[in-house]
Amino acid sequence: MWKLYTDAACTQVFGGTLSTVHYSDHSEGSLDYVFYFADVERDPADNGAYLLKMPGGGNYSFTIEDATPGSGHETTEIKTALTSAGLDNAVPGAALSIGVSATSGVTGAIPIHVRVTNAVTSAGVSVELSLRKPEGRVYAA
C-alpha cells in the first residue's frame, strides 16, 4: 500500500515514470519534482498505525532505473534528496535512503525530491526513467 504521490495531501498516485520534455539546446534547465511516499490506504485515520521496514533491517532506499540504457536520459542525470536544498549536493544516479523506517498516514509522508538535468541533445519526450522502491515489510506501530 506504500506509494508515491504527486501531492502533499497524498490523493494523486504517481504513475511510476518521470515524463520529461527536453530541448536540443538545453534551454529547459534542470527539472525538479517532489513526490510523497506514504501509506494512506491502510491508515485513513492518519494515526501512524503502521511502520515500513526492510526485512532483516537496514535503510529503506529508492533507486533510479533506466528502462533503455544508452538512449534518452541516463540515471546519472537524476539526483534525489529528502529536501529541495539537498538536491544541490546530491550525487547523480545515487540511491536515496529514507532511513530505517517510514510511518503510515499523510502526516508520515516522506517528501522525495528529484532533479533531472538534461544531457540529451535531441528534442523529445523521455519516459524511460523511473524511481524504484524495494519491497519492505509492514509492522503495526
Side-chain angles (χ1 to χ4, degrees), residues 22-28 118 120-124:
H22 52 270
Y23 305 105
S24 59
D25 65 356
H26 301 259
S27 60
E28 74 282 357
N118 182 25
V120 176
T121 56
S122 59

Side-chain angles (χ1 to χ4, degrees), residues 1-5 10 12-14 16 35-43 46-54 60 62 98-112 131-141:
M1 302 289 184
W2 289 81
K3 299 176 184 173
L4 287 171
Y5 294 87
C10 300
Q12 301 296 314
V13 176
F14 173 53
F35 302 101
Y36 300 87
F37 184 59
D39 182 352
V40 296
E41 292 177 26
R42 200 179 338 235
D43 191 1
D46 194 23
N47 59 13
Y50 300 96
L51 295 176
L52 177 68
K53 296 182 178 184
M54 289 299 295
Y60 192 92
F62 284 87
I98 62 169
V100 296
S101 67
T103 304
S104 64
V106 172
T107 56
I110 298 170
I112 307 293
L131 290 174
R132 183 184 177 282
K133 61 182 180 69
E135 293 301 319
R137 293 190 63 195
V138 178
Y139 301 88

Side-chain angles (χ1 to χ4, degrees), residues 112-126:
I112 307 293
H113 295 262
V114 177
R115 176 172 292 157
V116 178
T117 302
N118 182 25
V120 176
T121 56
S122 59
V125 178
S126 294

Side-chain angles (χ1 to χ4, degrees), residues 17-22 33 68 71-74 77 116 118 120 122-129:
T17 302
L18 293 174
S19 179
T20 61
V21 176
H22 52 270
Y33 304 86
T68 56
S71 68
H73 289 288
E74 298 300 321
E77 296 176 50
V116 178
N118 182 25
V120 176
S122 59
V125 178
S126 294
V127 295
E128 78 275 11
L129 298 172

